[in-house]
Amino acid sequence: MSDGAGRNGSREPSAGAASLIDVDDQALLRRLAERQDEEAFRALYARHTPAVYGLLWRLTGRTADASDVMQETWLRAVRHLPLFRGQSAFRTWLTGIALNCYREWRRRHARETPLAESHAIGTSSANADAALVARTLARLSLEHREAIVLHDVEGYTHEEIADALEIEPGTSKSRLSRARRAFREHWQGRTTPHG
Amino acid sequence: MVDIINDKPDDELPPDLAKALSDARVSMAPPPAVEQKTIAALRERGLVHPRGRRALMAWAAVAAALAVLAGWLAIQKTTAPVVGPRFVLLLYAGSDPIAGTADARRTEYGAWARDLASRGVQVSGEELSEESAALGASNGSAAGGEALPRGFFVIQADDLAAAQRIASTCPHLRYGGRIVIKRVVS
């Protein structure tokens, strides 16, 4: 992968964050909220960023954009930490913020169809099907890609997608239907593993 | 390799393609610069602080508080004779950074000592400087690699248990510090 990411997204945390590797989310969040403990933040970052960033990468299709949205996600999450009541898992809460940030990003990029990194994803993946999926997704419009990624890749329901994107569930369904047709057309049109 | 079953309706995915899509849900690490930029932005907004800097600031505040307290205690020492067993409370830095503002800590250390004195407990204390030396250390370092106390109180108490009860009320513990209690040999 061009950005150095692995399939499981693992990256060595800092020495301080590594010492907190066995500390649970709740304890880390308390340290972050009460003491603004940077090592606690680094530990949370190392633990949760790869999954959320993976989602943002599939949605935006570009490393630079996914990185910007990821950064904004963490800034908002830390700023609004007092609002996190622990009623859901921290990852779920963070993902919700990420989708809000993505929605704002999407408003600014609604007409774009980024293709620049389609090869960068596919050629480095160990899984040939995953590589083909990634390349095919990169060819879709933003709206189609988002429908496939959220529903068929991430497993969100239409109601959850509707909440996240502020649309009606029926709109989500019709978008998915169109997106799947587009996906199949691109998929069937593939010629070579890198095509 | 996944293949398409072409007689499926357009808006349905064949199972193998559906599986390929769900398998595409992989984690990815962002470029390392993202973490650094995020932390820089959080620091700029005061939302995180480097641990070392916080601990240093906190200890500077504790040292200042001890210095203020020492002045007040010097007066007490000249007016109240020490009676009964005495115990030294050695104040060490804890493993966690010390929370709270410097002003709050100053107020609390002073109030704690005044409260002890008002209840008839003789108390004195000093701040200890960073400057130190040791003789006989195996590795030649000043402290033989061990942590050094940053300050101490001397209190009067009936026995070790009583001294421990008094020490347990010291705000130094609440600020993340560690206290070792030793009896003074009279």
Side-chain angles (χ1 to χ4, degrees):
Chain A
M1 203 156 294
S2 62
D3 62 8
R7 180 174 174 82
N8 62 8
S10 62
R11 192 183 291 284
E12 288 298 316
S14 69
S19 70
L20 300 174
I21 205 155
D22 294 326
V23 179
D24 66 33
D25 279 357
Q26 291 303 319
L28 290 173
L29 290 167
R30 271 197 305 277
R31 287 176 68 147
L32 181 56
E34 293 170 6
R35 308 179 203 168
Q36 294 80 48
D37 186 330
E38 186 174 301
E39 293 307 330
F41 171 77
R42 287 180 188 271
L44 288 165
Y45 182 96
R47 189 175 297 174
H48 296 292
T49 295
V52 179
Y53 178 79
L55 164 64
L56 292 172
W57 199 96
R58 286 185 284 280
L59 287 171
T60 63
R62 285 193 294 223
T63 299
D65 289 325
S67 297
D68 287 347
V69 178
M70 190 72 245
Q71 182 180 338
E72 179 61 22
T73 297
W74 273 115
L75 290 179
R76 287 191 196 180
V78 176
R79 195 185 306 136
H80 296 129
L81 212 50
L83 300 178
F84 177 61
R85 301 295 181 201
Q87 291 166 332
S88 60
F90 177 68
R91 174 82 57 84
T92 305
W93 186 71
L94 186 68
T95 303
I97 294 174
L99 287 172
N100 284 339
C101 293
Y102 162 74
R103 195 173 63 236
E104 292 171 17
W105 173 88
R106 190 189 60 170
R107 288 191 189 116
R108 300 192 298 271
H109 299 79
R111 295 179 186 283
E112 295 180 20
T113 305
L115 291 167
E117 294 183 11
S118 59
H119 287 273
I121 314 166
T123 52
S124 63
S125 170
N127 183 308
D129 285 345
L132 279 174
V133 166
R135 269 200 301 282
T136 308
L137 284 173
R139 291 175 174 166
L140 300 181
S141 70
L142 195 55
E143 186 177 291
H144 287 169
R145 185 169 62 243
E146 154 187 300
I148 296 277
V149 167
L150 290 177
H151 190 277
D152 293 333
V153 178
E154 302 292 331
Y156 283 69
T157 66
H158 288 295
E159 287 70 25
E160 288 168 334
I161 294 170
D163 281 346
L165 302 182
E166 295 184 336
I167 58 176
E168 293 299 320
T171 305
S172 173
K173 285 178 189 171
S174 58
R175 281 184 184 177
L176 180 65
S177 180
R178 289 194 299 273
R180 281 176 169 177
R181 278 198 294 273
F183 187 90
R184 289 178 64 153
E185 284 169 15
H186 285 294
W187 183 268
Q188 288 167 322
R190 74 191 191 281
T191 52
T192 70
H194 301 296
Chain B
M1 187 67 65
V2 173
D3 213 343
I4 293 290
I5 301 170
N6 287 317
D7 57 358
K8 284 277 181 186
D10 278 353
D11 60 351
E12 284 187 23
L13 295 173
D16 47 2
L17 181 53
K19 182 178 183 309
L21 281 167
S22 72
D23 287 348
R25 184 183 181 183
V26 293
S27 295
M28 300 166 63
V34 177
E35 180 176 4
Q36 297 315 315
K37 284 168 65 178
T38 304
I39 288 174
L42 289 170
R43 283 181 183 171
E44 192 178 306
R45 290 161 175 78
L47 294 170
V48 298
H49 299 295
R51 186 183 180 125
R53 182 167 158 252
R54 275 183 64 79
L56 190 65
M57 288 169 61
W59 270 111
V62 169
L66 286 171
V68 170
L69 184 59
W72 177 83
L73 292 172
I75 300 169
Q76 301 301 306
K77 279 192 286 190
T78 61
T79 57
V82 174
V83 188
R86 288 179 298 151
F87 295 84
V88 179
L89 313 186
L90 296 166
L91 276 55
Y92 292 86
S95 57
D96 292 332
I98 296 177
T101 66
D103 284 345
R105 284 191 289 272
R106 279 191 195 99
T107 303
E108 281 202 62
Y109 273 72
W112 178 74
R114 280 191 292 275
D115 181 59
L116 286 184
S118 71
R119 289 188 283 119
V121 177
Q122 301 303 316
V123 54
S124 62
E126 298 290 350
E127 172 195 358
L128 296 177
S129 162
E130 291 278 1
E131 187 180 10
S132 63
L135 299 177
S138 59
N139 62 3
S141 67
E146 295 172 2
L148 290 169
R150 307 299 297 267
F152 67 88
F153 290 109
V154 179
I155 61 170
Q156 173 249 320
D158 291 339
D159 52 27
L160 181 61
Q164 197 169 347
R165 280 195 296 276
I166 291 170
S168 69
T169 65
C170 180
H172 185 67
L173 296 175
R174 202 162 52 255
Y175 287 133
R178 189 168 63 92
I179 300 175
V180 173
I181 307 168
K182 300 285 285 183
R183 180 172 181 155
V184 175
V185 178
S186 300

